Every structure is written in structure tokens, then in C-alpha cells.
Amino acid sequence: MSEKSLKWATLGTGVIAHELAQALQGLGGNLYSVANRTYEKGLAFADQYGIQKVYREIDEVFADDEVDIIYISTPHNTHINFLRKALAAGKHVLCEKSITLNSAELEEAIQLAEEKGLVLAEAMTIYHMPIYRQLKDVVDSGKLGPLKMIQMNFGSYKDYDMTNRFFNRELAGGALLDIGVYALSFVRWFMSSCPQNILSQVQFAPTGVDEQVGILLTNQEGEMATISLSLHAKQPKRGMLAYDKAYIELYEYPRGQKAVITYTEDGHQEVIETGDTKDALRYEVLDMERAVAGNDNQMYLAYSRDVMEMMTKLRSDWGLTYPEEEEERGS
């Protein structure tokens, strides 16, 4: 079990909520409660995992004094309203990516968390999987030399149904917030500083959201990154990091567990394999509980902030907004 008996609530009962429940059970605990828009789905979820409390109304989770941490796994465009309520109620929050729609929303949430002395974090697996931390140690040792270039590919093949969430503007769909957030988080994890020069090309789906994207990034150290994203053309989920003395290849990110380092001078390879893809949520839970206990905060909210700034800049360049943002500006 965890270092301290913290009580977790899930807000949402989708795929990630199931993984969260399984992760907590794997650690010898269980979810304390479940909140969901549809009460019947909440009941079914609770029955599956032996969860003792189901709320009839979502807002009841915020008023429950027993809850320590809320995991929010609802659609992107609902996050900020739930974050406001959870943080105002004194709950620590682990929020599914993308943590908010834009930088303004994230800054509001960060300020609320700081005022209340709470841990706020994005459930970004790249910041928690052992493979990324071990690779960071290798890089920081200096044996690979300085970083020169990062290349990221993430292509999904989603049914070309404009009503599903991936293409639905009403649900904050689009490649950037759904899969691009992983690529940008990978880039930020390895880059020395946040990229300031951002160029891009975008192709829109019939609904007006970004379907296919190419991004070029450069930071003040001269490190560069290229990213290609697609929601309707499969690509290998591949990350490549080119250093002065070697390059690193990592496949099947974000939940990677194996990387290959190829050294430039003689071509010899070093294989690093650590962690387990299926334990992705377990790593996030353990890091979150350590942070809440005040032992070691490794939730990397500053990186989430940088990534959100990049995504906000990109969508601004494209002129892509979501209904909630348009309402905010109009009010």
C-alpha cells in the first residue's frame, strides 16, 4: 500500500478510471469513491471494483471530507470547471491530459492550488515511467554530448466519424490536445529549456479541429525538434533524440519501456529496458502520493505549464478555438 492511507476518488469512469482502479488494487488499496455524470455507470463501475461510495451528483465528491485526491478523467473541456471546484474544496488533483484547454485556464488552476497549498498535477505518463527517468540520467551524465535534434511521430487512425470526440469541436477534439500533448511533453522532458521559436503547418478536419499537424521547435540553446501528428494516418509512435555522440530511439511512447542508444563513433548499441507499460498508472499514483505526503514532489507541473504554453501558441497561430473559449471571450 502507499506510504500514507490516502483516499482517492475518480471523476469519470472511462478507460483511464479502470486503469486507476486496477493500479490502486495492485498497490494493495482501492478507490474510495466514484463520481460520474451518469449515476448508473458509476454504480456499475463501483460494483466492478468493490468501491464503497458512489455519488448521485458529481458535486458531492468535492464536498466529501474523506476524499484526499481526485483523479479527473473527463473530456478536456470540462477540466477547468472541475479543477476550480476540487481545489476550492481543498482536494489534491491529478488531472488527465490535457490538463486544461489553454494557458489562462492552467494559470488560474495553479494559483488556486498554490493559495490552498495543494498538489495539482497532470497525469502525463512520460514524467513518471522509469524509462524516461533513466534516459534523463544517461543524458545528464554528459556521455552523449549536447542535444542537437528531436524527431517525434505520433499517428493514430481514428474512424472518420465527425461526431466522435477526436474530431468533435464541442468536446475539444483535435490532434494537438489528444496526442500532440504527449509529443510536446517528450520534447520538453529532454530539451534544456522550453522552445520559444514555434513554426507549424496544420490541416483541419471538416469539423474545424486539427487533423494533421507538422511542428518545428527551437529553444535558446539551439536544440531543435520536429513533430508530426495525425488522427487519420497511422505512424509508428517513435521518438528519436540526436546528440553529439549518439542517438536514442524509443518506440511505443508514451508508455515506453525500451530504448536503444546507438553511438556515432563505432555504431555500437546500448539497450535500456526498465519499467513496465502496463504499470503506467501505478507510477503516477505512487509519485502523486509521495507529493501529497510532502516527501518528494516529482509531478513536473512546470513542464505541463510549458507544454500548455506551446499548445496555446500553436492554436492561436491556427485560429483554432473551442466553444468554451469563445464564451469566455464574449462574457
Side-chain angles (χ1 to χ4, degrees), residues 11-133:
L11 205 174
T13 58
V15 173
I16 296 296
H18 284 271
E19 292 189 13
L20 174 66
Q22 291 158 16
L24 284 165
Q25 288 182 343
L27 291 166
N30 203 359
L31 271 166
Y32 164 71
S33 61
V34 54
N36 195 63
R37 184 174 55 85
T38 306
Y39 178 60
E40 288 71 23
K41 286 185 179 178
L43 284 174
F45 184 90
D47 183 61
Q48 183 175 351
Y49 295 104
I51 298 166
Q52 61 181 290
K53 184 174 281 191
V54 184
Y55 308 102
R56 286 193 172 273
E57 302 293 335
I58 282 179
D59 284 359
E60 292 174 17
V61 68
F62 309 119
D64 189 340
D65 291 337
E66 292 294 309
V67 172
D68 296 303
I69 307 170
I70 298 177
Y71 192 111
I72 298 173
S73 61
T74 53
H76 314 309
N77 57 332
T78 64
H79 289 177
I80 187 58
N81 287 331
F82 291 142
L83 286 169
R84 287 171 181 143
K85 292 177 179 180
L87 295 167
K91 309 303 183 189
H92 303 285
V93 180
L94 184 57
C95 186
E96 186 58 24
K97 56 81 197 167
S98 293
I99 187 169
T100 56
L101 288 184
N102 55 53
S103 288
E105 289 183 354
L106 181 53
E107 292 307 312
E108 178 188 347
I110 289 172
Q111 185 175 340
L112 281 169
E114 288 176 349
E115 288 171 358
K116 294 277 192 175
L118 297 166
V119 177
L120 167 66
E122 181 175 40
M124 173 47 65
T125 191
I126 284 169
Y127 304 150
H128 308 285
M129 295 289 291
I131 188 68
Y132 298 103
R133 294 187 175 177

Side-chain angles (χ1 to χ4, degrees), residues 125-126 129 131-132 153-154 186 234-239 249-258 277:
T125 191
I126 284 169
M129 295 289 291
I131 188 68
Y132 298 103
N153 297 81
F154 201 143
F186 185 106
K234 190 69 176 171
Q235 302 178 62
K237 290 185 285 186
R238 174 179 175 268
E249 293 174 287
L250 189 144
Y251 286 86
E252 294 308 313
Y253 85 95
R255 295 185 176 189
Q257 61 185 42
K258 179 181 178 180
T277 295

Side-chain angles (χ1 to χ4, degrees), residues 97-324:
K97 56 81 197 167
S98 293
I99 187 169
T100 56
L101 288 184
N102 55 53
S103 288
E105 289 183 354
L106 181 53
E107 292 307 312
E108 178 188 347
I110 289 172
Q111 185 175 340
L112 281 169
E114 288 176 349
E115 288 171 358
K116 294 277 192 175
L118 297 166
V119 177
L120 167 66
E122 181 175 40
M124 173 47 65
T125 191
I126 284 169
Y127 304 150
H128 308 285
M129 295 289 291
I131 188 68
Y132 298 103
R133 294 187 175 177
Q134 189 160 336
L135 285 174
K136 193 78 171 286
D137 289 341
V138 171
V139 169
D140 290 346
S141 75
K143 73 176 186 177
L144 305 185
L147 175 64
K148 300 295 185 180
M149 171 72 76
I150 302 176
Q151 292 180 340
M152 303 300 300
N153 297 81
F154 201 143
S156 294
Y157 190 85
K158 306 299 183 186
D159 289 337
Y160 216 50
D161 175 0
M162 294 301 119
T163 63
N164 72 30
R165 74 173 184 86
F166 301 106
F167 297 104
N168 190 338
R169 203 171 74 90
E170 301 293 323
L171 295 176
L176 186 65
L177 293 191
D178 194 73
I179 57 177
V181 64
Y182 289 120
L184 286 166
S185 297
F186 185 106
V187 166
R188 184 63 194 93
W189 181 254
F190 289 103
M191 271 193 165
S192 302
S193 64
C194 185
Q196 298 301 316
N197 298 313
I198 304 174
L199 299 172
S200 64
Q201 293 285 324
V202 62
Q203 291 183 6
F204 295 107
T207 53
V209 303
D210 53 310
E211 176 183 322
Q212 190 160 290
V213 181
I215 305 169
L216 177 62
L217 307 162
T218 312
N219 65 7
Q220 62 188 14
E221 289 82 8
E223 299 163 351
M224 299 179 69
T226 62
I227 297 172
S228 63
L229 309 171
S230 178
L231 285 179
H232 196 59
K234 190 69 176 171
Q235 302 178 62
K237 290 185 285 186
R238 174 179 175 268
M240 191 284 295
L241 302 147
Y243 291 84
D244 186 57
K245 297 177 181 177
Y247 63 88
I248 302 171
E249 293 174 287
L250 189 144
Y251 286 86
E252 294 308 313
Y253 85 95
R255 295 185 176 189
Q257 61 185 42
K258 179 181 178 180
V260 178
I261 304 174
T262 302
Y263 289 86
T264 307
E265 187 175 8
D266 59 8
H268 87 272
Q269 292 186 324
E270 176 184 353
V271 177
I272 296 177
E273 196 160 4
T274 183
D276 195 321
T277 295
K278 72 178 187 299
D279 289 334
L281 264 290
R282 181 182 296 203
Y283 302 128
E284 292 177 22
V285 165
L286 289 172
D287 282 346
M288 185 67 180
E289 292 199 342
R290 277 191 284 266
V292 168
N295 294 335
D296 186 20
N297 191 335
Q298 294 195 64
M299 300 310 293
Y300 299 97
L301 186 59
Y303 282 3
S304 294
R305 190 183 224 163
D306 286 348
V307 169
M308 186 57 64
E309 285 181 4
M310 288 188 277
M311 294 197 298
T312 300
K313 165 71 164 63
L314 284 161
R315 287 202 297 114
S316 175
D317 289 347
W318 305 337
L320 171 56
T321 57
Y322 295 111
E324 293 80 8

